Amino acid sequence: MQAVAEPASAPSPELREELARASRSLEQSSPQDIIAWAAERFGSRLTMATAFGPEGCLIIHWLATVAPRTHVFNLETGYQFRETLELRDRIAKRYGIEVALETPETTVAEYEAMHGGPIYRTAPDQCCGDRKIAVIRRVLVNFDAWMSGIRRDQSTDRAASPIVGWDHKFGVVKISPLANWTKAKVWDAIVRENVPYNPLHDRGYVSIGCAPCTRAITADEDERAGRWSGTAKTECGLHARG
Ligand code: SF4
């Protein structure tokens, strides 16, 4: 495996203070204003990660008018749903934004041959580590800041997410323009602004990741209950508190 650069350990005190100040002042701002701030502050050193969930699609929708040249990428593990990859093409057609597919060093066939079969059931943390975390580390060394669509009300892991903060895990600034939005507010905007979304959402899939680790849920289940269902795992590690 190719060596992955280690992230910087900590921000300077000046940067830490700037981020805290920005986060406080942006707390009541619209996501469009937060995106505009991020694009102006970090320019071509800003990137955005998306798994093509509704929040990511909405941010791309706004990026198309606010900062359309922003780099956007998807972690293409090789295990994503066909519908997810087709959504990438629909977004490219609608907005002219080509989301870069960032892949691991091995194909699924090579990876499974190395391990004697898939390991997403037996060792999902290793699988996410190899096919997501190592890849995002490789991408983020080329940027100073990344943006994601996480919301505080999605899980306890995400409840304390600031609008702007230092991502200790990856050694870059992290911006979450939808941190204080709700699922209902996101879907209202998707419908109102006719934003493309994954058709699996209409079939009971609420939070969508890799196909083998995602199932549809019932109305009374938590929105992330369909991810790594039946295991204690709740996050792939991208948004873990570091
Ligand atoms: Fe592997 Fe599942 Fe993680 Fe995808 S979500 S990288 S298939 S363990």
Side-chain angles (χ1 to χ4, degrees):
M1 292 257 174
Q2 181 186 312
V4 175
E6 285 297 317
S9 53
S12 66
E14 293 77 19
L15 179 57
R16 189 188 295 272
E17 175 53 30
E18 179 198 342
L19 300 179
R21 216 172 32 243
S23 198
R24 279 195 300 273
S25 75
L26 291 167
E27 185 66 38
Q28 305 303 325
S29 300
S30 68
Q32 295 96 316
D33 286 348
I34 297 168
I35 294 165
W37 173 85
E40 188 177 330
R41 171 63 180 82
F42 297 104
S44 62
R45 302 290 297 170
L46 171 70
T47 186
M48 179 204 166
T50 182
F52 299 106
E55 295 83 5
C57 293
L58 199 48
I59 292 176
I60 291 172
H61 174 76
W62 288 320
L63 268 178
T65 49
V66 173
R69 296 169 66 88
T70 304
H71 180 264
V72 185
F73 70 98
N74 164 263
L75 297 172
E76 172 31 352
T77 61
Y79 288 116
Q80 294 189 106
F81 288 95
R82 173 180 50 77
E83 289 85 347
T84 303
L85 296 172
E86 286 173 356
L87 179 53
R88 175 191 177 272
D89 299 335
R90 288 165 55 209
I91 283 173
K93 205 166 170 187
R94 164 90 179 261
Y95 300 111
I97 291 178
E98 296 271 348
V99 177
L101 295 177
E102 297 288 351
T103 57
E105 291 170 34
T106 54
T107 64
V108 163
E110 290 166 345
Y111 191 66
E112 293 185 357
M114 277 167 56
H115 293 284
I119 63 167
Y120 44 72
R121 299 231 190 284
T122 52
D125 285 344
Q126 184 186 340
C127 187
C128 281
D130 293 338
R131 305 196 75 76
K132 289 186 177 178
I133 306 299
V135 179
I136 195 170
R137 277 199 201 288
R138 187 187 73 205
V139 174
L140 290 182
V141 292
N142 298 311
F143 295 93
D144 294 334
W146 73 298
M147 194 153 57
S148 92
I150 60 168
R151 304 189 333 265
R152 290 175 189 149
D153 70 352
Q154 282 172 317
S155 67
T156 49
D157 276 328
R158 301 180 181 191
S161 303
I163 301 287
V164 181
W166 183 254
D167 187 331
H168 292 273
K169 184 160 194 167
F170 299 123
V172 290
V173 175
K174 183 174 182 182
I175 298 131
S176 305
L178 293 168
N180 59 17
W181 273 40
T182 62
K183 183 171 81 168
K185 206 167 167 181
V186 168
W187 278 105
D188 279 352
I190 295 261
V191 171
R192 188 178 61 245
E193 303 193 30
N194 192 27
V195 176
Y197 64 87
N198 195 324
L200 292 172
H201 291 305
D202 294 330
R203 289 187 245 152
Y205 292 81
V206 176
S207 174
I208 301 172
C210 294
C213 302
T214 303
R215 68 162 170 82
I217 62 171
T218 54
D220 58 343
E221 286 184 295
D222 177 84
E223 73 174 276
R224 287 183 62 81
R227 304 291 296 278
W228 304 283
S229 182
T231 77
K233 187 173 168 67
T234 57
E235 293 276 355
C236 55
L238 297 180
H239 305 292
R241 286 167 290 188

